[in-house]
Amino acid sequence: MIKIQNVSKSFGSLDVLHDISTEIGRGDVVAIIGPSGSGKSTLLRCINLLETPTKGSIFIDGDEITAPKADVMKIRQKIGMVFQHFYLFPHMTVLDNLTYAPVKVKGVTKEAAEAKARELLARVGLSDKADVFPARLSGGQKQRVAIARSLAMEPEIMLFDEPTSALDPEMVKEVLEVMKGLAESGMTMAIVTHEMNFAREVADRICFLDGGRLVEEAPPEEFFTSPRSERAKQFLEKML
Ligand code: ADP
Ligand code: MG
């Protein structure tokens, strides 16, 4: 579903990604892990064109999204993204946060958008919060709303960039549970995370980045029990 082909990215003279190639199949869940500054966020941002690769190509469903004439709006509609910080619209209720883009961007009727929003709030366990403002929610609740808001656009792919890193420890689990449910529902997902147990349990594959290179790619069991590269071994020793 996603094909990343020889992607490199530089910011000025700083080379951040070096010749990354990988594929993510429909329904696959890929965890992207690696040290801080290794290029994880940049890689994720290239997939929805928040960054443009300096070299290489990215295909989604066979369409080259990095082609000069690619329809960026259409591509972005296929892809939901959830960040470490939630960026909810503070002046809107939870329900309005979920219905705003479907109505404005996709032209869904208000009634249909609300019905969908309520269904999604139930799915993330927040049916009772439809009418409150984000300031009244805990961090974990805000992040679950952010996930529901992304899902309201009916994306085919969901990208997560350290979705639990800004949360108090007691709220991490509720967000990971929602993500696990989403994975089980067959969503195609790429997740940058430091939650190793989650990656091991939920991901089909681990991509380990270091210094902007895709150093190792393996099923979780293999990666966590017998990493091939010295760099992955050292990283895991620090993390586990
Ligand atoms: P990670 O998510 O693995 O921590 P990032 O992808 O955020 O890594 O960053 C990789 C490197 O690219 C870092 O050295 C970072 O400072 C640099 N970088 C990221 N975004 C930009 C940018 N917009 N301009 C300049 N440098 C950037
Ligand atoms: Mg990052």
Side-chain angles (χ1 to χ4, degrees):
M1 172 152 217
I2 308 173
K3 185 173 176 187
I4 298 171
Q5 203 169 47
N6 305 109
V7 163
S8 297
K9 173 72 182 172
S10 307
F11 293 106
S13 59
L14 182 68
D15 298 331
V16 173
L17 297 176
H18 302 270
D19 198 24
I20 307 258
S21 295
T22 189
E23 285 181 36
I24 302 177
R26 190 174 291 277
D28 280 1
V29 177
V30 172
I32 301 169
I33 69 175
S36 180
S38 58
K40 306 180 298 295
S41 295
T42 304
L43 179 62
L44 214 57
R45 292 164 65 83
C46 283
I47 298 176
N48 70 352
L49 297 176
L50 287 175
E51 302 288 357
T52 314
T54 313
K55 279 186 217 158
S57 316
I58 300 177
F59 298 85
I60 291 182
D61 281 336
D63 295 327
E64 189 188 346
I65 66 167
T66 43
K69 56 176 170 32
D71 184 346
V72 176
M73 284 302 288
K74 187 167 151 237
I75 293 156
R76 290 231 181 93
Q77 276 193 33
K78 286 191 179 186
I79 305 175
M81 184 149 178
V82 173
F83 301 88
Q84 187 173 346
H85 299 286
F86 331 105
Y87 307 114
L88 297 175
F89 306 124
H91 58 292
M92 290 184 193
T93 64
V94 164
L95 193 73
D96 290 344
N97 263 274
L98 266 65
T99 57
Y100 182 78
V103 170
K104 283 277 177 206
V105 181
K106 284 185 111 178
V108 176
T109 65
K110 191 139 184 25
E111 294 68 39
E114 279 197 21
K116 174 87 188 169
R118 289 188 191 280
E119 186 190 307
L120 287 166
L121 287 177
R123 190 164 164 191
V124 302
L126 292 173
S127 288
D128 56 335
K129 302 294 182 192
D131 300 318
V132 311
F133 285 87
R136 294 266 308 277
L137 301 174
S138 71
Q141 290 171 336
K142 283 181 194 164
Q143 192 60 299
R144 285 186 281 151
V145 171
I147 293 170
R149 185 179 60 176
S150 272
L151 293 174
M153 290 295 279
E154 303 189 313
E156 294 175 36
I157 297 165
M158 284 288 287
L159 308 176
F160 293 86
D161 193 355
E162 299 197 34
T164 60
S165 293
L167 299 178
D168 291 333
E170 72 270 23
M171 293 166 188
V172 169
K173 197 168 159 224
E174 67 194 45
V175 172
L176 294 179
E177 283 301 319
V178 166
M179 292 168 63
K180 189 177 165 195
L182 195 56
E184 284 165 356
S185 78
M187 179 63 79
T188 307
M189 296 162 71
I191 308 165
V192 174
T193 185
H194 294 294
E195 295 290 334
M196 296 299 138
N197 290 328
F198 174 78
R200 189 167 183 158
E201 188 190 349
V202 175
D204 300 301
R205 204 161 84 243
I206 308 293
C207 287
F208 174 68
L209 286 191
D210 191 26
R213 289 172 208 281
L214 181 52
V215 173
E216 194 160 337
E217 199 174 3
E221 273 319 299
E222 189 183 319
F223 180 80
F224 287 108
T225 55
S226 48
R228 291 187 302 271
S229 64
E230 202 50 46
R231 286 195 278 180
K233 269 179 213 155
Q234 284 169 5
F235 176 77
L236 288 174
E237 269 164 26
K238 279 189 225 142
M239 293 300 290
L240 300 174

